[in-house]
Coordinates of all heavy atoms in Angstrom, one line a residue:
A1582 N 15.7 -0.6 24.9 CA 17.1 -0.4 25.3 C 17.1 0.6 26.5 O 17.9 0.5 27.4 CB 17.9 0.2 24.1
A1583 N 16.1 1.5 26.5 CA 16.1 2.5 27.6 C 15.7 1.9 28.9 O 16.1 2.4 30.0 CB 15.2 3.7 27.2
F1584 N 14.8 0.9 28.9 CA 14.2 0.4 30.1 C 14.6 -1.0 30.5 O 14.3 -1.4 31.6 CB 12.7 0.6 30.0 CG 12.3 2.0 29.9 CD1 11.7 2.5 28.8 CD2 12.5 2.9 31.0 CE1 11.3 3.8 28.7 CE2 12.0 4.2 30.9 CZ 11.5 4.7 29.7
C1585 N 15.0 -1.8 29.5 CA 15.2 -3.2 29.8 C 16.6 -3.7 29.6 O 17.4 -3.1 28.9 CB 14.3 -4.1 28.9 SG 12.6 -3.6 29.0
A1586 N 17.0 -4.8 30.2 CA 18.2 -5.5 30.0 C 17.9 -6.8 29.3 O 16.9 -7.4 29.5 CB 19.0 -5.7 31.3
P1587 N 18.9 -7.3 28.6 CA 18.6 -8.6 27.9 C 18.2 -9.7 29.0 O 18.7 -9.7 30.1 CB 20.0 -9.0 27.3 CG 20.7 -7.7 27.1 CD 20.2 -6.8 28.2
G1588 N 17.2 -10.4 28.6 CA 16.7 -11.5 29.5 C 15.5 -11.0 30.3 O 14.8 -11.8 30.9
D1589 N 15.2 -9.7 30.3 CA 14.0 -9.2 31.1 C 12.7 -9.7 30.5 O 12.6 -9.9 29.2 CB 14.0 -7.7 31.1 CG 14.9 -7.0 32.1 OD1 15.4 -7.8 33.0 OD2 15.1 -5.8 32.1
V1590 N 11.7 -9.8 31.3 CA 10.4 -10.3 30.9 C 9.6 -9.0 30.4 O 9.6 -8.0 31.0 CB 9.6 -10.9 32.0 CG1 8.2 -11.2 31.6 CG2 10.3 -12.2 32.5
V1591 N 9.1 -9.2 29.2 CA 8.2 -8.1 28.6 C 6.9 -8.7 28.2 O 6.8 -9.7 27.6 CB 8.9 -7.5 27.3 CG1 8.0 -6.5 26.7 CG2 10.3 -6.8 27.7
L1592 N 5.8 -8.1 28.7 CA 4.5 -8.5 28.5 C 3.8 -7.7 27.4 O 3.8 -6.4 27.5 CB 3.7 -8.4 29.8 CG 2.2 -8.7 29.8 CD1 1.9 -10.2 29.3 CD2 1.6 -8.5 31.2
A1593 N 3.4 -8.3 26.3 CA 2.9 -7.6 25.2 C 1.9 -8.4 24.4 O 1.7 -9.6 24.7 CB 4.0 -7.2 24.2
M1594 N 1.2 -7.8 23.5 CA 0.1 -8.5 22.8 C 0.7 -9.5 21.8 O 1.7 -9.3 21.1 CB -0.7 -7.5 22.0 CG -2.0 -8.0 21.5 SD -3.2 -6.7 21.2 CE -4.6 -7.6 20.8
D1595 N 0.0 -10.7 21.8 CA 0.4 -11.8 20.9 C 0.3 -11.3 19.4 O -0.7 -10.7 19.0 CB -0.6 -12.9 21.1 CG -0.2 -14.2 20.5 OD1 0.7 -14.2 19.6 OD2 -0.6 -15.2 21.0
L1596 N 1.4 -11.6 18.7 CA 1.4 -11.3 17.3 C 0.2 -11.9 16.5 O -0.4 -11.2 15.7 CB 2.7 -11.9 16.7 CG 3.0 -11.7 15.2 CD1 3.2 -10.2 14.9 CD2 4.2 -12.4 14.7
K1597 N -0.2 -13.1 16.9 CA -1.3 -13.8 16.2 C -2.7 -13.1 16.5 O -3.6 -13.4 15.9 CB -1.4 -15.2 16.7 CG -0.2 -16.0 16.2 CD -0.4 -17.5 16.2 CE -0.5 -18.1 17.6 NZ 0.8 -18.2 18.4
Q1598 N -2.7 -12.2 17.6 CA -4.0 -11.6 17.9 C -3.9 -10.1 17.7 O -4.8 -9.4 18.2 CB -4.3 -11.9 19.4 CG -4.3 -13.4 19.6 CD -5.4 -13.8 20.6 OE1 -6.0 -13.0 21.3 NE2 -5.8 -15.1 20.5
G1599 N -2.9 -9.6 17.0 CA -2.9 -8.2 16.6 C -1.6 -7.5 17.0 O -1.4 -6.3 16.7
G1600 N -0.7 -8.1 17.8 CA 0.5 -7.5 18.2 C 1.5 -7.3 17.0 O 1.2 -7.7 15.9
H1601 N 2.6 -6.7 17.3 CA 3.6 -6.4 16.3 C 4.9 -7.3 16.5 O 5.1 -7.8 17.6 CB 4.1 -5.0 16.3 CG 5.0 -4.6 15.1 ND1 6.3 -4.4 15.3 CD2 4.7 -4.4 13.8 CE1 6.9 -4.1 14.1 NE2 5.9 -4.1 13.2

Side-chain angles (χ1 to χ4, degrees):
F1584 296 112
C1585 303
D1589 277 352
V1590 174
V1591 175
L1592 175 59
M1594 194 158 184
D1595 193 339
L1596 180 65
K1597 294 198 289 291
Q1598 302 219 340
H1601 187 255

